[in-house]
Amino acid sequence: MSSYSTDAHKTSRTSGLAIAGLVCGIVGLFILPIILGPLAVIFGAVALRQTGSVMAKWDIGLGVVDIVLMIVMLAVAANNGGSFTWHIG
């Protein structure tokens, strides 16, 4: 008689909050980092507490990068008379 292992069907520990935080962190790099950065940090922290997944740690990291990016953009805009423009070429 053969026995089957119950470890064959391990479920993923990634939560929906971790995925939402990752999306907020990535999109926040391009648009609205002042809103999406803190959301990524919050979603990541809650997902980290619930599941402890690596994706939740990435959420927190991307959220922090978004916030730092926004602070740098505000500092550059303050030094340019209140405007932030890109000149390519």
Side-chain angles (χ1 to χ4, degrees):
M1 183 177 217
S2 64
S3 63
Y4 293 101
S5 175
T6 58
D7 294 334
H9 294 290
K10 286 192 174 188
T11 59
S12 175
R13 294 186 50 167
T14 304
S15 70
L17 285 174
I19 295 170
L22 191 64
V23 169
C24 287
I26 292 171
V27 173
L29 291 173
F30 302 104
I31 55 174
L32 295 174
I34 196 71
I35 296 170
L36 296 177
L39 279 177
V41 171
I42 292 169
F43 289 157
V46 173
L48 186 64
R49 181 170 279 253
Q50 287 178 353
T51 63
S53 69
V54 175
M55 189 182 296
K57 294 176 184 177
W58 276 96
D59 298 344
I60 295 170
L62 280 171
V64 170
V65 168
D66 288 346
I67 294 169
V68 169
L69 178 67
M70 188 62 198
I71 291 170
V72 168
M73 287 174 33
L74 286 174
V76 169
N79 287 334
N80 288 334
S83 67
F84 185 78
T85 59
W86 292 94
H87 297 288
I88 300 174

Coordinates of all heavy atoms in Angstrom, one line a residue:
M1 N 0.8 -1.2 0.0 CA 0.0 0.0 0.0 C 0.9 1.2 0.0 O 1.8 1.3 0.8 CB -0.9 0.0 1.2 CG -1.8 1.1 1.3 SD -2.8 0.8 2.7 CE -4.4 1.3 2.3
S2 N 0.6 2.1 -0.9 CA 1.5 3.3 -1.0 C 0.8 4.5 -0.3 O -0.5 4.6 -0.2 CB 1.7 3.7 -2.4 OG 0.5 4.0 -3.1
S3 N 1.6 5.4 0.3 CA 1.0 6.5 0.9 C 1.4 7.8 0.1 O 2.4 7.9 -0.4 CB 1.5 6.7 2.4 OG 2.9 6.8 2.4
Y4 N 0.5 8.7 0.1 CA 0.7 10.0 -0.6 C 1.0 11.1 0.4 O 0.4 11.2 1.4 CB -0.5 10.4 -1.4 CG -0.8 9.4 -2.5 CD1 -1.8 8.4 -2.4 CD2 -0.1 9.5 -3.7 CE1 -2.0 7.6 -3.4 CE2 -0.3 8.6 -4.7 CZ -1.3 7.6 -4.6 OH -1.5 6.7 -5.6
S5 N 2.0 11.9 0.0 CA 2.4 13.0 0.8 C 1.4 14.1 0.7 O 0.8 14.4 -0.4 CB 3.8 13.5 0.4 OG 4.1 14.7 1.1
T6 N 1.1 14.8 1.8 CA 0.2 15.9 1.8 C 0.9 17.2 1.4 O 0.2 18.2 1.2 CB -0.5 16.1 3.2 OG1 0.5 16.3 4.1 CG2 -1.3 14.9 3.5
D7 N 2.2 17.2 1.2 CA 3.0 18.3 0.9 C 2.9 18.6 -0.6 O 3.4 19.6 -1.1 CB 4.4 18.2 1.3 CG 4.6 18.2 2.8 OD1 3.7 18.7 3.5 OD2 5.6 17.6 3.3
A8 N 2.2 17.8 -1.4 CA 2.2 18.0 -2.8 C 1.4 19.2 -3.2 O 1.6 19.8 -4.3 CB 1.7 16.7 -3.5
H9 N 0.4 19.5 -2.4 CA -0.4 20.6 -2.8 C -0.3 21.8 -1.8 O -1.2 22.2 -1.1 CB -1.9 20.2 -2.8 CG -2.2 19.2 -3.8 ND1 -2.2 19.6 -5.2 CD2 -2.5 17.9 -3.8 CE1 -2.5 18.5 -5.9 NE2 -2.7 17.5 -5.1
K10 N 0.9 22.4 -1.8 CA 1.1 23.5 -0.9 C 0.5 24.7 -1.6 O 0.6 25.0 -2.8 CB 2.6 23.8 -0.7 CG 3.3 22.8 0.2 CD 4.6 23.3 0.6 CE 5.2 22.4 1.7 NZ 6.4 22.8 2.2
T11 N -0.2 25.5 -0.8 CA -0.8 26.7 -1.3 C 0.1 27.9 -1.3 O 1.0 27.9 -0.4 CB -2.1 27.1 -0.5 OG1 -1.7 27.3 0.9 CG2 -3.1 25.9 -0.6
S12 N -0.1 28.8 -2.2 CA 0.7 30.0 -2.2 C 0.4 30.9 -1.0 O -0.8 31.0 -0.7 CB 0.5 30.7 -3.5 OG 1.2 31.9 -3.5
R13 N 1.4 31.5 -0.4 CA 1.1 32.4 0.7 C 1.0 33.9 0.3 O 1.2 34.8 1.1 CB 2.2 32.2 1.7 CG 2.1 30.8 2.3 CD 3.1 30.7 3.4 NE 3.0 31.8 4.4 CZ 3.5 31.9 5.5 NH1 4.2 30.9 6.0 NH2 3.3 33.0 6.3
T14 N 0.9 34.2 -1.0 CA 0.8 35.5 -1.5 C -0.6 36.0 -1.4 O -1.6 35.4 -1.8 CB 1.2 35.6 -3.0 OG1 2.5 35.1 -3.1 CG2 1.2 37.0 -3.5
S15 N -0.8 37.1 -0.7 CA -2.1 37.7 -0.5 C -2.5 38.7 -1.6 O -1.6 39.2 -2.3 CB -2.2 38.3 0.9 OG -1.5 39.5 0.9
G16 N -3.7 39.0 -1.7 CA -4.2 40.1 -2.6 C -3.6 41.4 -2.2 O -3.4 42.3 -3.1
L17 N -3.4 41.7 -0.9 CA -2.8 42.9 -0.5 C -1.4 43.1 -1.0 O -1.0 44.2 -1.3 CB -2.9 43.1 1.0 CG -4.3 43.4 1.6 CD1 -4.2 43.3 3.1 CD2 -4.7 44.7 1.2
A18 N -0.7 42.0 -1.0 CA 0.7 42.0 -1.5 C 0.7 42.4 -3.0 O 1.6 43.2 -3.4 CB 1.4 40.7 -1.2
I19 N -0.2 41.8 -3.7 CA -0.2 42.1 -5.1 C -0.7 43.5 -5.4 O -0.1 44.3 -6.2 CB -1.2 41.1 -5.8 CG1 -0.6 39.7 -5.8 CG2 -1.4 41.5 -7.3 CD1 -1.5 38.6 -6.2
A20 N -1.6 44.0 -4.6 CA -2.1 45.4 -4.7 C -1.0 46.4 -4.4 O -0.8 47.4 -5.0 CB -3.3 45.7 -3.8
G21 N -0.2 46.0 -3.3 CA 0.9 46.9 -2.9 C 2.0 46.9 -4.0 O 2.6 48.0 -4.2
L22 N 2.3 45.8 -4.6 CA 3.3 45.7 -5.7 C 2.8 46.6 -6.9 O 3.6 47.3 -7.5 CB 3.5 44.3 -6.1 CG 4.7 44.0 -7.0 CD1 6.0 44.4 -6.3 CD2 4.7 42.6 -7.5
V23 N 1.6 46.5 -7.2 CA 1.1 47.3 -8.3 C 1.1 48.8 -8.0 O 1.6 49.6 -8.8 CB -0.4 46.9 -8.7 CG1 -1.0 47.9 -9.7 CG2 -0.4 45.5 -9.3
C24 N 0.8 49.2 -6.8 CA 0.9 50.6 -6.4 C 2.3 51.0 -6.4 O 2.6 52.2 -6.8 CB 0.3 50.8 -5.0 SG -1.5 50.7 -4.9
G25 N 3.2 50.2 -5.9 CA 4.6 50.6 -5.9 C 5.2 50.8 -7.3 O 5.9 51.7 -7.6
I26 N 4.9 49.9 -8.2 CA 5.4 50.0 -9.6 C 4.8 51.2 -10.3 O 5.5 52.0 -11.0 CB 5.2 48.7 -10.4 CG1 6.1 47.6 -9.8 CG2 5.5 48.9 -11.8 CD1 5.8 46.2 -10.3
V27 N 3.5 51.3 -10.3 CA 2.8 52.4 -10.9 C 3.2 53.8 -10.3 O 3.3 54.8 -11.0 CB 1.2 52.2 -10.9 CG1 0.5 53.5 -11.5 CG2 0.9 51.0 -11.7
G28 N 3.4 53.8 -9.0 CA 3.9 55.0 -8.3 C 5.2 55.5 -8.7 O 5.5 56.7 -8.5
L29 N 6.0 54.7 -9.4 CA 7.3 55.1 -9.9 C 7.1 56.1 -11.1 O 7.9 56.9 -11.4 CB 8.1 54.0 -10.4 CG 8.7 53.1 -9.3 CD1 9.4 51.8 -9.9 CD2 9.7 53.8 -8.4
F30 N 5.9 56.0 -11.8 CA 5.7 56.8 -12.9 C 4.6 57.9 -12.7 O 4.8 59.0 -13.3 CB 5.2 55.8 -14.1 CG 6.2 54.8 -14.4 CD1 6.0 53.5 -14.0 CD2 7.4 55.1 -15.1 CE1 7.0 52.5 -14.3 CE2 8.3 54.1 -15.4 CZ 8.1 52.8 -15.0
I31 N 3.6 57.6 -12.0 CA 2.5 58.6 -11.7 C 2.1 58.6 -10.3 O 2.1 57.5 -9.7 CB 1.3 58.4 -12.7 CG1 0.7 57.0 -12.5 CG2 1.6 58.7 -14.1 CD1 -0.6 56.8 -13.3
L32 N 1.8 59.7 -9.7 CA 1.3 59.9 -8.4 C 2.0 59.2 -7.3 O 1.4 58.5 -6.5 CB -0.2 59.5 -8.3 CG -1.2 60.3 -9.2 CD1 -2.6 59.7 -9.1 CD2 -1.2 61.8 -8.7
P33 N 3.3 59.4 -7.2 CA 4.1 58.7 -6.1 C 3.7 59.2 -4.7 O 3.9 58.4 -3.8 CB 5.5 59.0 -6.5 CG 5.5 60.3 -7.3 CD 4.2 60.2 -8.0
I34 N 3.2 60.4 -4.6 CA 2.8 60.9 -3.3 C 1.6 60.1 -2.7 O 1.5 60.0 -1.5 CB 2.6 62.4 -3.3 CG1 2.5 63.0 -1.9 CG2 1.3 62.7 -4.0 CD1 3.9 63.0 -1.3
I35 N 0.8 59.5 -3.6 CA -0.4 58.8 -3.1 C -0.1 57.3 -3.1 O -0.4 56.6 -2.1 CB -1.6 59.1 -4.0 CG1 -2.0 60.6 -3.9 CG2 -2.8 58.2 -3.7 CD1 -3.0 61.0 -4.8
L36 N 0.5 56.8 -4.2 CA 0.7 55.4 -4.4 C 1.8 54.8 -3.5 O 1.8 53.7 -3.1 CB 0.9 55.0 -5.8 CG -0.3 55.3 -6.7 CD1 0.0 55.0 -8.2 CD2 -1.5 54.6 -6.3
G37 N 2.8 55.7 -3.2 CA 3.9 55.2 -2.3 C 3.5 54.8 -0.9 O 3.7 53.7 -0.5
P38 N 2.8 55.7 -0.2 CA 2.3 55.3 1.1 C 1.3 54.1 1.0 O 1.3 53.3 1.9 CB 1.6 56.6 1.6 CG 2.3 57.7 0.9 CD 2.6 57.1 -0.5
L39 N 0.5 54.1 0.0 CA -0.4 52.9 -0.2 C 0.3 51.6 -0.3 O 0.0 50.6 0.3 CB -1.4 53.1 -1.4 CG -2.6 54.0 -1.2 CD1 -3.3 54.1 -2.5 CD2 -3.5 53.4 -0.1
A40 N 1.4 51.6 -1.1 CA 2.3 50.4 -1.2 C 2.9 50.0 0.1 O 2.9 48.9 0.5 CB 3.3 50.7 -2.2
V41 N 3.3 51.0 0.9 CA 3.9 50.7 2.2 C 2.8 50.1 3.2 O 3.1 49.1 3.8 CB 4.5 52.0 2.9 CG1 4.9 51.7 4.3 CG2 5.7 52.4 2.0
I42 N 1.6 50.7 3.1 CA 0.6 50.2 4.0 C 0.1 48.8 3.6 O 0.0 47.9 4.4 CB -0.6 51.2 4.0 CG1 -0.3 52.5 4.7 CG2 -1.9 50.5 4.7 CD1 -1.3 53.6 4.5
F43 N -0.1 48.6 2.3 CA -0.5 47.3 1.8 C 0.6 46.2 2.1 O 0.3 45.1 2.5 CB -0.8 47.3 0.3 CG -2.1 48.0 0.0 CD1 -2.3 48.5 -1.3 CD2 -3.1 48.1 0.9 CE1 -3.4 49.1 -1.7 CE2 -4.3 48.8 0.5 CZ -4.4 49.3 -0.7
G44 N 1.8 46.6 1.9 CA 3.0 45.7 2.2 C 3.1 45.4 3.7 O 3.4 44.2 4.0
A45 N 2.9 46.3 4.5 CA 3.0 46.1 6.0 C 1.9 45.1 6.4 O 2.1 44.2 7.2 CB 2.9 47.4 6.7
V46 N 0.7 45.3 5.9 CA -0.4 44.5 6.3 C -0.2 43.0 5.8 O -0.4 42.1 6.5 CB -1.8 45.0 5.8 CG1 -2.9 44.0 6.1 CG2 -2.1 46.3 6.6
A47 N 0.2 43.0 4.5 CA 0.5 41.6 3.9 C 1.6 40.9 4.6 O 1.6 39.7 4.8 CB 0.8 41.8 2.4
L48 N 2.7 41.7 5.0 CA 3.8 41.1 5.7 C 3.4 40.5 7.1 O 3.8 39.5 7.5 CB 4.9 42.1 5.9 CG 6.2 41.7 6.5 CD1 6.9 40.7 5.6 CD2 7.1 42.8 6.8
R49 N 2.5 41.2 7.7 CA 2.0 40.8 9.0 C 1.1 39.5 8.8 O 1.1 38.6 9.6 CB 1.2 41.8 9.7 CG 0.6 41.5 11.0 CD 0.1 42.7 11.7 NE 1.1 43.4 12.3 CZ 1.4 43.5 13.6 NH1 0.6 42.8 14.4 NH2 2.3 44.1 14.2
Q50 N 0.3 39.5 7.7 CA -0.6 38.3 7.5 C 0.2 37.1 7.0 O -0.1 36.0 7.5 CB -1.7 38.7 6.5 CG -2.7 39.6 7.1 CD -3.7 40.0 6.0 OE1 -3.6 39.7 4.8 NE2 -4.8 40.7 6.4
T51 N 1.0 37.3 6.0 CA 1.6 36.1 5.3 C 3.1 36.0 5.5 O 3.7 34.9 5.4 CB 1.3 36.2 3.8 OG1 1.9 37.3 3.3 CG2 -0.2 36.2 3.6
G52 N 3.8 37.1 5.7 CA 5.3 37.1 5.8 C 5.9 36.8 4.4 O 7.1 36.4 4.4
S53 N 5.3 37.2 3.3 CA 5.8 36.9 2.0 C 6.9 37.8 1.6 O 7.0 39.0 2.1 CB 4.7 36.9 1.0 OG 4.2 38.2 0.8
V54 N 7.7 37.4 0.7 CA 8.8 38.3 0.2 C 8.2 39.4 -0.7 O 8.7 40.5 -0.7 CB 9.8 37.4 -0.7 CG1 10.8 38.3 -1.3 CG2 10.4 36.3 0.2
M55 N 7.1 39.2 -1.3 CA 6.4 40.2 -2.1 C 6.0 41.4 -1.3 O 6.1 42.5 -1.7 CB 5.2 39.7 -2.9 CG 4.7 40.6 -3.9 SD 3.2 40.0 -4.8 CE 3.8 38.7 -5.6
A56 N 5.6 41.1 0.0 CA 5.2 42.2 0.9 C 6.5 43.1 1.2 O 6.3 44.3 1.3 CB 4.6 41.6 2.1
K57 N 7.6 42.5 1.3 CA 8.8 43.2 1.6 C 9.2 44.1 0.4 O 9.6 45.3 0.5 CB 10.0 42.3 1.9 CG 9.8 41.6 3.2 CD 10.9 40.6 3.5 CE 10.6 39.8 4.8 NZ 11.6 38.8 5.0
W58 N 9.0 43.6 -0.8 CA 9.2 44.4 -2.0 C 8.2 45.6 -2.1 O 8.6 46.7 -2.5 CB 9.0 43.5 -3.3 CG 10.3 42.8 -3.6 CD1 10.6 41.5 -3.3 CD2 11.4 43.3 -4.3 NE1 11.8 41.2 -3.8 CE2 12.3 42.3 -4.4 CE3 11.7 44.5 -4.9 CZ2 13.5 42.4 -5.1 CZ3 12.9 44.7 -5.6 CH2 13.8 43.6 -5.7
D59 N 7.0 45.4 -1.6 CA 6.0 46.4 -1.6 C 6.5 47.6 -0.7 O 6.4 48.8 -1.1 CB 4.6 45.9 -1.0 CG 4.0 44.8 -1.8 OD1 4.4 44.7 -3.0 OD2 3.1 44.2 -1.3
I60 N 7.0 47.2 0.4 CA 7.4 48.3 1.4 C 8.6 49.0 0.7 O 8.7 50.2 0.8 CB 7.8 47.7 2.7 CG1 6.5 47.1 3.4 CG2 8.5 48.7 3.6 CD1 6.8 46.3 4.6
G61 N 9.5 48.3 0.1 CA 10.7 48.9 -0.5 C 10.3 49.8 -1.6 O 10.8 50.9 -1.8
L62 N 9.4 49.4 -2.5 CA 9.0 50.2 -3.6 C 8.2 51.4 -3.1 O 8.3 52.5 -3.7 CB 8.1 49.4 -4.6 CG 8.8 48.5 -5.6 CD1 7.8 47.6 -6.3 CD2 9.6 49.4 -6.6
G63 N 7.4 51.3 -2.1 CA 6.7 52.4 -1.5 C 7.7 53.5 -1.0 O 7.5 54.7 -1.1
V64 N 8.8 53.0 -0.3 CA 9.8 54.0 0.2 C 10.5 54.7 -0.9 O 10.7 55.9 -0.9 CB 10.8 53.2 1.1 CG1 11.9 54.1 1.5 CG2 10.0 52.8 2.4
V65 N 10.8 53.9 -2.0 CA 11.4 54.5 -3.2 C 10.5 55.6 -3.8 O 10.9 56.7 -4.2 CB 11.8 53.4 -4.2 CG1 12.2 54.1 -5.5 CG2 12.9 52.6 -3.7
D66 N 9.2 55.3 -3.9 CA 8.2 56.3 -4.4 C 8.2 57.5 -3.5 O 8.2 58.7 -4.1 CB 6.8 55.7 -4.4 CG 6.6 54.6 -5.5 OD1 7.5 54.5 -6.4 OD2 5.6 53.9 -5.4
I67 N 8.2 57.4 -2.2 CA 8.2 58.6 -1.4 C 9.5 59.4 -1.5 O 9.4 60.6 -1.6 CB 8.0 58.1 0.1 CG1 6.6 57.5 0.2 CG2 8.2 59.3 1.1 CD1 6.3 56.8 1.6
V68 N 10.6 58.7 -1.6 CA 11.9 59.4 -1.7 C 11.9 60.1 -3.1 O 12.4 61.3 -3.2 CB 13.1 58.4 -1.6 CG1 14.4 59.1 -2.0 CG2 13.2 57.9 -0.1
L69 N 11.4 59.4 -4.1 CA 11.4 60.1 -5.5 C 10.5 61.3 -5.4 O 10.9 62.3 -6.0 CB 10.8 59.1 -6.5 CG 10.6 59.5 -7.9 CD1 12.0 59.8 -8.5 CD2 9.8 58.5 -8.7
M70 N 9.4 61.3 -4.7 CA 8.5 62.5 -4.6 C 9.2 63.6 -3.9 O 9.1 64.8 -4.3 CB 7.2 62.1 -4.0 CG 6.2 63.2 -4.0 SD 5.8 63.6 -5.7 CE 5.1 65.2 -5.5
I71 N 10.0 63.3 -2.8 CA 10.7 64.3 -2.1 C 11.8 64.9 -3.0 O 11.9 66.2 -3.0 CB 11.3 63.7 -0.8 CG1 10.2 63.4 0.2 CG2 12.3 64.7 -0.2 CD1 10.6 62.6 1.4
V72 N 12.5 64.1 -3.7 CA 13.5 64.7 -4.7 C 12.8 65.5 -5.7 O 13.4 66.6 -6.0 CB 14.3 63.5 -5.3 CG1 15.2 64.0 -6.4 CG2 15.1 62.8 -4.2
M73 N 11.7 65.1 -6.3 CA 11.0 65.9 -7.3 C 10.6 67.2 -6.7 O 10.6 68.3 -7.4 CB 9.9 65.1 -7.9 CG 10.3 64.0 -8.8 SD 9.1 62.9 -9.5 CE 7.6 63.9 -9.6
L74 N 10.1 67.2 -5.5 CA 9.6 68.5 -4.9 C 10.8 69.4 -4.6 O 10.7 70.6 -4.8 CB 8.9 68.2 -3.6 CG 7.5 67.7 -3.7 CD1 6.9 67.3 -2.3 CD2 6.6 68.7 -4.4
A75 N 12.0 68.9 -4.2 CA 13.2 69.7 -4.0 C 13.7 70.3 -5.3 O 14.0 71.5 -5.3 CB 14.3 68.8 -3.3
V76 N 13.6 69.5 -6.4 CA 14.1 70.1 -7.7 C 13.1 71.1 -8.1 O 13.5 72.2 -8.6 CB 14.2 68.9 -8.7 CG1 14.3 69.5 -10.1 CG2 15.3 68.0 -8.3
A77 N 11.8 70.9 -7.9 CA 10.8 71.9 -8.3 C 11.0 73.2 -7.5 O 10.8 74.3 -8.0 CB 9.4 71.3 -8.2
A78 N 11.3 73.1 -6.2 CA 11.4 74.2 -5.4 C 12.7 75.1 -5.8 O 12.6 76.3 -5.8 CB 11.6 73.8 -3.9
N79 N 13.7 74.4 -6.3 CA 14.9 75.1 -6.8 C 14.7 75.7 -8.2 O 15.5 76.5 -8.6 CB 16.1 74.2 -6.7 CG 16.6 73.9 -5.3 OD1 16.4 74.7 -4.4 ND2 17.2 72.8 -5.2
N80 N 13.7 75.2 -8.9 CA 13.5 75.8 -10.3 C 12.3 76.7 -10.3 O 11.7 76.9 -11.3 CB 13.2 74.6 -11.2 CG 14.5 73.8 -11.5 OD1 15.6 74.3 -11.5 ND2 14.3 72.6 -11.9
G81 N 12.0 77.4 -9.2 CA 11.0 78.3 -9.2 C 9.6 77.7 -9.2 O 8.6 78.4 -9.6
G82 N 9.4 76.5 -8.7 CA 8.1 75.9 -8.6 C 7.7 75.1 -9.8 O 6.6 74.6 -9.8
S83 N 8.6 74.9 -10.7 CA 8.2 74.0 -11.9 C 9.2 72.9 -12.0 O 10.3 73.0 -11.6 CB 8.2 74.9 -13.2 OG 9.5 75.3 -13.5
F84 N 8.7 71.8 -12.6 CA 9.5 70.6 -12.8 C 9.3 70.2 -14.3 O 8.2 69.8 -14.6 CB 9.0 69.5 -11.9 CG 9.9 68.3 -11.9 CD1 11.2 68.3 -11.3 CD2 9.5 67.2 -12.6 CE1 12.0 67.2 -11.4 CE2 10.4 66.1 -12.7 CZ 11.6 66.1 -12.1
T85 N 10.3 70.4 -15.1 CA 10.2 70.1 -16.5 C 11.3 69.2 -16.9 O 12.4 69.3 -16.3 CB 10.2 71.4 -17.4 OG1 11.4 72.1 -17.1 CG2 9.0 72.2 -17.1
W86 N 11.1 68.4 -17.9 CA 12.1 67.6 -18.5 C 12.5 68.1 -19.9 O 11.7 68.5 -20.7 CB 11.6 66.2 -18.7 CG 11.3 65.4 -17.5 CD1 10.1 65.3 -16.9 CD2 12.2 64.6 -16.7 NE1 10.2 64.5 -15.7 CE2 11.5 64.1 -15.6 CE3 13.6 64.3 -16.8 CZ2 12.1 63.3 -14.7 CZ3 14.1 63.5 -15.9 CH2 13.4 63.0 -14.8
H87 N 13.8 68.2 -20.1 CA 14.3 68.6 -21.4 C 15.2 67.5 -22.0 O 16.2 67.2 -21.4 CB 15.2 69.9 -21.3 CG 14.4 71.1 -20.8 ND1 13.5 71.7 -21.6 CD2 14.4 71.7 -19.6 CE1 13.0 72.7 -20.9 NE2 13.5 72.7 -19.7
I88 N 14.7 66.9 -23.0 CA 15.4 65.8 -23.7 C 15.9 66.3 -25.0 O 15.2 66.8 -25.8 CB 14.4 64.6 -23.9 CG1 13.9 64.1 -22.5 CG2 15.2 63.5 -24.6 CD1 12.9 63.1 -22.6
G89 N 17.2 66.1 -25.2 CA 17.8 66.4 -26.5 C 18.3 67.8 -26.5 O 18.6 68.7 -26.7

